[in-house]
Amino acid sequence: MLYDFLAGLSKDWAALNVFRYITFRTGGATLTALLISFLFGPRVIAMLKVRQRRGQPIREDGPQTHVIQKQGTPTMGGFLILFGLVPSVLIWADLSNPYVWIVLLVTLGFGAVGFADDYLKVSKISPKGVPGRVKLFFEFIIAAIAMYALVSVAKEPLATALTVPFFKSVLVQLGPLFFVFGALVIVGSSNAVNLTDGLDGLAIVPVMIASASLGLIVYLVGNAVFADYLQIHFVPGTGELAVFCGALIGAGLGFLWYNAPPAMVFMGDTGSLALGGALGAISVAAKHELVFAIIGGLFVLEAVSVIVQVASFKLTGKRVFRMAPLHHHFEQKGWAEPTVVIRFWIIAVVLAMVGLATLKLR
Protein backbone atom coordinates (compact mmCIF):
# COMPACT_ATOMS: atom_id res chain seq x y z
CA MET A 1 0.00 0.00 0.00
CA LEU A 2 2.68 2.46 1.05
CA TYR A 3 4.87 1.35 -1.85
CA ASP A 4 2.16 2.03 -4.43
CA PHE A 5 1.39 5.44 -2.95
CA LEU A 6 5.00 6.62 -2.65
CA ALA A 7 6.00 5.13 -6.00
CA GLY A 8 3.43 7.41 -7.60
CA LEU A 9 4.68 10.45 -5.72
CA SER A 10 8.31 9.69 -6.60
CA LYS A 11 7.64 10.88 -10.15
CA ASP A 12 7.41 14.40 -8.78
CA TRP A 13 9.57 14.03 -5.68
CA ALA A 14 12.96 12.51 -6.48
CA ALA A 15 13.76 12.02 -2.80
CA LEU A 16 11.02 9.40 -2.60
CA ASN A 17 12.80 7.19 -5.15
CA VAL A 18 14.42 5.43 -2.19
CA PHE A 19 11.10 3.62 -1.63
CA ARG A 20 11.54 1.90 -4.97
CA TYR A 21 14.58 0.00 -3.66
CA ILE A 22 13.87 -3.49 -2.36
CA THR A 23 16.68 -3.23 0.19
CA PHE A 24 15.20 -0.08 1.73
CA ARG A 25 11.71 -1.54 1.88
CA THR A 26 13.06 -4.78 3.36
CA GLY A 27 14.58 -2.79 6.19
CA GLY A 28 11.35 -0.84 6.60
CA ALA A 29 9.34 -4.07 6.79
CA THR A 30 11.71 -5.49 9.41
CA LEU A 31 11.46 -2.44 11.66
CA THR A 32 7.69 -2.14 11.19
CA ALA A 33 7.06 -5.77 12.15
CA LEU A 34 9.37 -5.42 15.16
CA LEU A 35 7.62 -2.23 16.30
CA ILE A 36 4.17 -3.83 15.98
CA SER A 37 5.34 -6.78 18.05
CA PHE A 38 6.69 -4.52 20.79
CA LEU A 39 3.57 -2.34 20.86
CA PHE A 40 0.97 -5.09 20.85
CA GLY A 41 2.89 -8.05 22.29
CA PRO A 42 1.92 -7.52 25.97
CA ARG A 43 -1.75 -7.04 25.04
CA VAL A 44 -1.83 -10.15 22.85
CA ILE A 45 -0.15 -12.27 25.54
CA ALA A 46 -2.51 -10.95 28.20
CA MET A 47 -5.49 -11.79 25.99
CA LEU A 48 -4.20 -15.32 25.39
CA LYS A 49 -3.67 -15.84 29.13
CA VAL A 50 -7.22 -14.76 29.93
CA ARG A 51 -8.78 -16.94 27.26
CA GLN A 52 -6.63 -20.02 27.82
CA ARG A 53 -6.29 -19.94 31.63
CA ARG A 54 -4.40 -23.23 31.95
CA GLY A 55 -2.14 -22.44 29.00
CA GLN A 56 -0.82 -24.99 26.54
CA PRO A 57 -1.42 -28.62 27.56
CA ILE A 58 1.92 -30.38 28.08
CA ARG A 59 2.35 -33.81 26.47
CA GLU A 60 2.56 -36.56 29.10
CA ASP A 61 5.27 -38.50 27.24
CA GLY A 62 7.55 -35.45 27.08
CA PRO A 63 10.33 -34.50 29.51
CA GLN A 64 8.93 -34.35 33.04
CA THR A 65 10.67 -31.04 33.72
CA HIS A 66 8.36 -29.42 31.17
CA VAL A 67 5.30 -30.26 33.25
CA ILE A 68 6.71 -28.21 36.13
CA GLN A 69 8.43 -25.39 34.24
CA LYS A 70 6.06 -24.77 31.33
CA GLN A 71 2.62 -25.53 32.71
CA GLY A 72 0.30 -22.53 32.44
CA THR A 73 2.21 -20.75 29.66
CA PRO A 74 -0.20 -19.63 26.92
CA THR A 75 0.19 -20.88 23.36
CA MET A 76 -0.89 -19.46 19.96
CA GLY A 77 1.99 -16.98 20.10
CA GLY A 78 2.17 -17.42 16.36
CA PHE A 79 -0.76 -15.04 16.24
CA LEU A 80 1.60 -12.31 17.48
CA ILE A 81 4.08 -13.18 14.70
CA LEU A 82 1.38 -13.01 12.03
CA PHE A 83 0.04 -9.80 13.57
CA GLY A 84 3.41 -8.16 12.95
CA LEU A 85 4.22 -9.92 9.67
CA VAL A 86 1.09 -9.42 7.59
CA PRO A 87 0.60 -5.62 8.01
CA SER A 88 4.31 -5.04 7.38
CA VAL A 89 4.17 -6.97 4.11
CA LEU A 90 1.03 -5.14 3.02
CA ILE A 91 2.61 -1.77 3.83
CA TRP A 92 6.06 -2.23 2.28
CA ALA A 93 5.74 -4.83 -0.50
CA ASP A 94 4.75 -4.25 -4.10
CA LEU A 95 1.25 -5.73 -3.99
CA SER A 96 1.11 -6.08 -7.76
CA ASN A 97 3.71 -8.86 -7.44
CA PRO A 98 1.98 -12.29 -7.50
CA TYR A 99 4.75 -14.00 -5.53
CA VAL A 100 3.99 -11.81 -2.51
CA TRP A 101 0.33 -12.85 -2.49
CA ILE A 102 1.09 -16.53 -3.03
CA VAL A 103 3.51 -16.73 -0.10
CA LEU A 104 1.26 -14.57 2.07
CA LEU A 105 -1.76 -16.79 1.42
CA VAL A 106 0.28 -19.94 2.13
CA THR A 107 1.35 -18.38 5.42
CA LEU A 108 -2.20 -17.50 6.43
CA GLY A 109 -3.59 -20.83 5.22
CA PHE A 110 -1.14 -22.90 7.23
CA GLY A 111 -1.58 -20.50 10.14
CA ALA A 112 -5.34 -21.21 10.05
CA VAL A 113 -4.69 -24.97 10.17
CA GLY A 114 -2.35 -24.44 13.11
CA PHE A 115 -4.85 -22.20 14.86
CA ALA A 116 -7.53 -24.90 14.62
CA ASP A 117 -5.10 -27.40 16.13
CA ASP A 118 -4.09 -25.06 18.97
CA TYR A 119 -7.71 -24.14 19.67
CA LEU A 120 -8.75 -27.77 20.07
CA LYS A 121 -5.82 -28.48 22.37
CA VAL A 122 -6.63 -25.54 24.59
CA SER A 123 -10.40 -26.01 24.60
CA LYS A 124 -10.18 -29.74 25.33
CA ILE A 125 -7.21 -29.27 27.71
CA SER A 126 -5.41 -32.03 25.84
CA PRO A 127 -2.15 -32.19 23.85
CA LYS A 128 -4.16 -33.86 21.06
CA GLY A 129 -5.64 -31.39 18.62
CA VAL A 130 -6.72 -31.87 15.00
CA PRO A 131 -5.96 -35.46 13.84
CA GLY A 132 -2.71 -35.65 11.89
CA ARG A 133 -4.33 -36.95 8.70
CA VAL A 134 -6.85 -34.11 8.72
CA LYS A 135 -4.11 -31.52 9.14
CA LEU A 136 -2.07 -33.05 6.33
CA PHE A 137 -5.12 -33.10 4.06
CA PHE A 138 -5.72 -29.37 4.41
CA GLU A 139 -2.00 -28.61 4.24
CA PHE A 140 -1.67 -30.44 0.92
CA ILE A 141 -4.76 -28.67 -0.43
CA ILE A 142 -3.20 -25.29 0.36
CA ALA A 143 0.18 -26.39 -1.00
CA ALA A 144 -1.40 -27.72 -4.21
CA ILE A 145 -3.15 -24.39 -4.84
CA ALA A 146 0.10 -22.56 -4.16
CA MET A 147 2.01 -24.81 -6.56
CA TYR A 148 -0.52 -24.20 -9.33
CA ALA A 149 -0.12 -20.46 -8.81
CA LEU A 150 3.70 -20.61 -8.65
CA VAL A 151 3.97 -22.67 -11.82
CA SER A 152 1.53 -20.33 -13.58
CA VAL A 153 3.62 -17.29 -12.66
CA ALA A 154 7.03 -18.79 -13.47
CA LYS A 155 8.48 -18.66 -16.95
CA GLU A 156 9.82 -21.53 -19.00
CA PRO A 157 12.09 -23.44 -18.80
CA LEU A 158 12.00 -22.92 -15.00
CA ALA A 159 8.28 -23.39 -14.42
CA THR A 160 8.38 -27.12 -13.63
CA ALA A 161 12.14 -27.58 -13.36
CA LEU A 162 14.39 -28.43 -10.43
CA THR A 163 17.70 -26.61 -10.19
CA VAL A 164 20.74 -28.43 -8.81
CA PRO A 165 23.28 -26.75 -6.49
CA PHE A 166 26.92 -26.55 -7.62
CA PHE A 167 25.95 -26.75 -11.31
CA LYS A 168 25.55 -23.62 -13.43
CA SER A 169 22.94 -24.66 -15.94
CA VAL A 170 21.60 -28.06 -14.91
CA LEU A 171 17.81 -28.21 -14.92
CA VAL A 172 15.90 -31.38 -14.12
CA GLN A 173 12.54 -31.15 -15.86
CA LEU A 174 10.01 -32.85 -13.58
CA GLY A 175 6.90 -31.96 -15.52
CA PRO A 176 3.69 -32.74 -13.58
CA LEU A 177 5.79 -34.34 -10.82
CA PHE A 178 7.02 -30.87 -9.90
CA PHE A 179 3.59 -30.10 -8.44
CA VAL A 180 3.98 -33.08 -6.09
CA PHE A 181 7.59 -32.25 -5.30
CA GLY A 182 6.83 -28.61 -4.52
CA ALA A 183 3.84 -29.51 -2.35
CA LEU A 184 6.02 -31.94 -0.40
CA VAL A 185 8.62 -29.21 0.14
CA ILE A 186 6.01 -26.77 1.48
CA VAL A 187 4.21 -29.28 3.70
CA GLY A 188 7.46 -30.91 4.82
CA SER A 189 8.98 -27.57 5.74
CA SER A 190 5.88 -26.60 7.68
CA ASN A 191 5.81 -29.77 9.75
CA ALA A 192 9.59 -29.84 10.26
CA VAL A 193 9.47 -26.37 11.84
CA ASN A 194 6.50 -27.56 13.90
CA LEU A 195 8.55 -30.48 15.24
CA THR A 196 11.46 -28.17 16.07
CA ASP A 197 9.22 -25.93 18.17
CA GLY A 198 9.65 -27.70 21.49
CA LEU A 199 11.88 -25.50 23.66
CA ASP A 200 11.87 -21.79 24.50
CA GLY A 201 13.37 -19.89 21.56
CA LEU A 202 14.46 -23.05 19.77
CA ALA A 203 12.44 -22.71 16.56
CA ILE A 204 12.15 -18.96 16.02
CA VAL A 205 15.89 -18.20 15.73
CA PRO A 206 16.57 -20.89 13.08
CA VAL A 207 13.44 -19.62 11.28
CA MET A 208 14.91 -16.11 11.23
CA ILE A 209 18.29 -17.45 10.08
CA ALA A 210 16.61 -19.37 7.25
CA SER A 211 14.51 -16.32 6.40
CA ALA A 212 17.58 -14.08 6.20
CA SER A 213 19.32 -16.62 3.96
CA LEU A 214 16.31 -17.01 1.68
CA GLY A 215 15.89 -13.23 1.67
CA LEU A 216 19.38 -12.87 0.25
CA ILE A 217 18.74 -15.66 -2.26
CA VAL A 218 15.48 -14.22 -3.60
CA TYR A 219 17.09 -10.79 -3.88
CA LEU A 220 19.92 -12.25 -5.97
CA VAL A 221 17.84 -14.57 -8.18
CA GLY A 222 15.35 -11.76 -8.75
CA ASN A 223 18.08 -9.42 -10.01
CA ALA A 224 19.26 -10.13 -13.56
CA VAL A 225 22.71 -8.58 -12.98
CA PHE A 226 23.49 -10.49 -9.78
CA ALA A 227 22.03 -13.71 -11.13
CA ASP A 228 24.23 -13.49 -14.22
CA TYR A 229 27.33 -12.70 -12.15
CA LEU A 230 26.74 -15.65 -9.80
CA GLN A 231 25.63 -17.84 -12.70
CA ILE A 232 22.39 -18.79 -11.00
CA HIS A 233 18.99 -18.94 -12.67
CA PHE A 234 17.22 -15.61 -12.94
CA VAL A 235 13.63 -15.76 -11.65
CA PRO A 236 11.91 -12.42 -12.41
CA GLY A 237 9.76 -11.01 -9.63
CA THR A 238 11.09 -13.11 -6.76
CA GLY A 239 13.23 -10.25 -5.46
CA GLU A 240 10.11 -8.74 -3.89
CA LEU A 241 9.97 -11.70 -1.51
CA ALA A 242 12.98 -10.18 0.27
CA VAL A 243 10.50 -7.70 1.76
CA PHE A 244 8.46 -10.62 3.07
CA CYS A 245 11.59 -12.20 4.57
CA GLY A 246 12.48 -8.89 6.22
CA ALA A 247 9.03 -8.65 7.77
CA LEU A 248 9.34 -12.23 8.99
CA ILE A 249 12.66 -11.46 10.66
CA GLY A 250 11.22 -8.39 12.38
CA ALA A 251 8.15 -10.28 13.58
CA GLY A 252 10.40 -13.14 14.71
CA LEU A 253 12.63 -10.80 16.72
CA GLY A 254 9.56 -9.29 18.37
CA PHE A 255 8.26 -12.74 19.24
CA LEU A 256 11.66 -13.85 20.58
CA TRP A 257 11.50 -10.95 23.05
CA TYR A 258 8.60 -12.75 24.73
CA ASN A 259 9.62 -16.32 23.89
CA ALA A 260 13.14 -16.11 25.35
CA PRO A 261 13.62 -18.44 28.33
CA PRO A 262 11.56 -18.57 30.44
CA ALA A 263 8.94 -18.08 27.72
CA MET A 264 5.96 -15.81 28.35
CA VAL A 265 4.18 -17.38 25.37
CA PHE A 266 4.66 -20.40 23.10
CA MET A 267 4.57 -20.22 19.31
CA GLY A 268 2.14 -23.10 18.92
CA ASP A 269 1.09 -24.64 15.63
CA THR A 270 -0.40 -21.28 14.67
CA GLY A 271 3.11 -19.95 14.21
CA SER A 272 5.23 -22.99 13.42
CA LEU A 273 3.04 -24.33 10.60
CA ALA A 274 2.64 -20.84 9.11
CA LEU A 275 6.35 -19.97 9.19
CA GLY A 276 7.47 -23.35 7.92
CA GLY A 277 4.98 -23.18 5.06
CA ALA A 278 6.16 -19.68 4.16
CA LEU A 279 9.83 -20.72 4.05
CA GLY A 280 9.00 -23.73 1.89
CA ALA A 281 6.95 -21.64 -0.53
CA ILE A 282 9.73 -19.04 -0.84
CA SER A 283 12.31 -21.74 -1.62
CA VAL A 284 10.07 -23.17 -4.36
CA ALA A 285 9.45 -19.71 -5.83
CA ALA A 286 13.19 -19.01 -5.92
CA LYS A 287 13.98 -22.46 -7.39
CA HIS A 288 16.30 -23.22 -4.47
CA GLU A 289 14.50 -26.11 -2.85
CA LEU A 290 17.63 -28.26 -2.50
CA VAL A 291 19.64 -25.37 -1.09
CA PHE A 292 16.84 -24.75 1.40
CA ALA A 293 17.24 -28.35 2.57
CA ILE A 294 20.79 -27.37 3.57
CA ILE A 295 19.92 -23.97 5.03
CA GLY A 296 17.05 -25.48 6.98
CA GLY A 297 19.07 -28.58 7.80
CA LEU A 298 18.24 -28.29 11.49
CA PHE A 299 14.54 -28.67 10.67
CA VAL A 300 15.40 -31.65 8.47
CA LEU A 301 17.34 -33.30 11.32
CA GLU A 302 14.44 -32.82 13.72
CA ALA A 303 11.95 -34.32 11.26
CA VAL A 304 14.22 -37.23 10.35
CA SER A 305 14.76 -38.05 14.03
CA VAL A 306 11.01 -38.49 14.45
CA ILE A 307 10.70 -40.61 11.30
CA VAL A 308 13.63 -42.83 12.33
CA GLN A 309 12.29 -43.18 15.88
CA VAL A 310 8.81 -44.21 14.75
CA ALA A 311 10.08 -46.56 12.02
CA SER A 312 12.60 -48.23 14.34
CA PHE A 313 10.05 -48.78 17.10
CA LYS A 314 7.44 -50.23 14.74
CA LEU A 315 9.92 -52.52 12.96
CA THR A 316 12.15 -53.63 15.84
CA GLY A 317 10.43 -52.49 19.02
CA LYS A 318 13.53 -50.46 19.90
CA ARG A 319 14.10 -46.70 19.97
CA VAL A 320 17.13 -45.11 18.34
CA PHE A 321 16.86 -41.94 20.44
CA ARG A 322 15.99 -41.58 24.09
CA MET A 323 13.15 -39.32 22.96
CA ALA A 324 12.14 -37.63 19.71
CA PRO A 325 12.30 -35.01 18.27
CA LEU A 326 16.07 -34.70 18.52
CA HIS A 327 16.16 -31.81 21.01
CA HIS A 328 14.36 -33.96 23.59
CA HIS A 329 17.00 -36.67 23.11
CA PHE A 330 19.70 -34.29 24.29
CA GLU A 331 17.53 -33.11 27.17
CA GLN A 332 17.25 -36.73 28.30
CA LYS A 333 21.03 -37.03 28.10
CA GLY A 334 21.27 -34.29 30.71
CA TRP A 335 21.82 -31.16 28.60
CA ALA A 336 20.23 -28.08 30.11
CA GLU A 337 17.51 -26.49 27.98
CA PRO A 338 19.52 -23.30 27.23
CA THR A 339 22.48 -25.49 26.18
CA VAL A 340 20.35 -27.42 23.70
CA VAL A 341 18.80 -24.25 22.33
CA ILE A 342 22.03 -22.30 21.83
CA ARG A 343 23.91 -25.23 20.33
CA PHE A 344 21.07 -25.84 17.89
CA TRP A 345 21.21 -22.15 16.98
CA ILE A 346 24.91 -22.57 16.21
CA ILE A 347 24.15 -25.56 14.00
CA ALA A 348 21.51 -23.49 12.17
CA VAL A 349 24.04 -20.70 11.51
CA VAL A 350 26.66 -23.13 10.19
CA LEU A 351 24.17 -24.85 7.88
CA ALA A 352 22.95 -21.49 6.58
CA MET A 353 26.53 -20.52 5.73
CA VAL A 354 27.05 -23.82 3.92
CA GLY A 355 23.83 -23.33 1.99
CA LEU A 356 24.72 -19.79 0.96
CA ALA A 357 28.17 -20.96 -0.15
CA THR A 358 26.49 -22.96 -2.91
CA LEU A 359 25.61 -19.66 -4.61
CA LYS A 360 29.27 -19.14 -5.49
CA LEU A 361 30.49 -22.72 -5.78
CA ARG A 362 29.24 -23.35 -9.29
Side-chain angles (χ1 to χ4, degrees):
M1 293 184 293
L2 181 63
Y3 169 79
D4 296 329
F5 176 70
L6 294 176
L9 291 179
S10 65
K11 298 177 181 179
D12 300 316
W13 300 83
L16 296 179
N17 275 325
V18 67
F19 287 93
R20 292 181 176 273
Y21 294 107
I22 290 175
T23 50
F24 179 83
R25 290 185 286 112
T26 299
T30 302
L31 293 176
T32 300
L34 181 60
L35 182 61
I36 292 174
S37 298
F38 282 160
L39 288 177
F40 296 96
R43 300 178 187 179
V44 172
I45 294 172
M47 178 193 70
L48 293 175
K49 281 185 176 180
V50 170
R51 293 183 177 275
Q52 295 179 18
R53 296 183 181 180
R54 296 188 182 183
Q56 174 173 299
I58 307 299
R59 50 183 282 199
E60 296 178 358
D61 59 341
Q64 291 304 304
T65 55
H66 288 199
V67 178
I68 301 173
Q69 298 172 359
K70 303 181 185 298
Q71 191 70 47
T73 305
T75 187
M76 295 188 190
F79 179 75
L80 175 59
I81 300 174
L82 297 177
F83 192 69
L85 170 68
V86 175
S88 301
V89 172
L90 295 178
I91 290 171
W92 291 98
D94 178 5
L95 300 184
S96 66
N97 185 299
Y99 286 112
V100 172
W101 285 108
I102 294 170
V103 174
L104 191 58
L105 292 175
V106 167
T107 306
L108 293 175
F110 276 77
V113 174
F115 175 81
D117 190 59
D118 286 336
Y119 180 79
L120 282 180
K121 290 176 182 177
V122 172
S123 61
K124 292 183 178 181
I125 315 178
S126 169
K128 296 181 180 179
V130 178
R133 292 182 179 179
V134 176
K135 283 200 298 184
L136 285 175
F137 173 78
F138 284 105
E139 288 170 5
F140 272 108
I141 291 295
I142 296 168
I145 295 172
M147 285 305 303
Y148 176 80
L150 287 171
V151 170
S152 299
V153 171
K155 297 181 179 179
E156 296 294 345
L158 290 174
T160 57
L162 175 66
T163 62
V164 182
F166 306 111
F167 295 94
K168 300 176 183 178
S169 57
V170 174
L171 283 177
V172 180
Q173 291 294 340
L174 298 180
L177 288 178
F178 185 73
F179 289 89
V180 178
F181 172 76
L184 286 172
V185 170
I186 296 172
V187 174
S189 172
S190 177
N191 285 278
V193 173
N194 179 244
L195 291 171
T196 306
D197 181 34
L199 301 177
D200 298 349
L202 177 59
I204 191 60
V205 171
V207 164
M208 289 190 290
I209 292 170
S211 182
S213 302
L214 287 175
L216 176 61
I217 289 173
V218 294
Y219 179 73
L220 295 174
V221 301
N223 185 297
V225 176
F226 290 140
D228 180 65
Y229 171 74
L230 293 170
Q231 297 184 325
I232 55 180
H233 295 281
F234 172 51
V235 187
T238 54
E240 199 64 30
L241 289 175
V243 179
F244 184 98
C245 291
L248 197 159
I249 293 170
L253 284 171
F255 174 75
L256 181 61
W257 183 268
Y258 306 104
N259 186 239
M264 299 170 60
V265 64
F266 295 144
M267 184 187 298
D269 286 16
T270 305
S272 58
L273 292 181
L275 299 184
L279 294 176
I282 292 170
S283 71
V284 174
K287 298 297 175 181
H288 274 67
E289 303 91 346
L290 299 183
V291 173
F292 175 55
I294 301 173
I295 292 173
L298 178 64
F299 305 132
V300 175
L301 288 172
E302 293 274 32
V304 169
S305 71
V306 173
I307 295 171
V308 170
Q309 186 85 325
V310 173
S312 175
F313 187 75
K314 286 187 175 182
L315 293 174
T316 67
K318 298 181 180 179
R319 293 180 172 86
V320 176
F321 305 101
R322 295 187 180 184
M323 187 176 290
L326 190 60
H327 54 266
H328 288 325
H329 168 76
F330 290 105
E331 275 194 294
Q332 294 299 313
K333 289 188 67 175
W335 289 20
E337 181 174 337
T339 302
V340 177
V341 171
I342 294 174
R343 287 178 177 175
F344 274 43
W345 288 354
I346 294 171
I347 293 172
V349 170
V350 172
L351 290 172
M353 293 173 65
V354 173
L356 290 175
T358 65
L359 295 175
K360 190 58 181 174
L361 300 177
R362 301 270 167 170

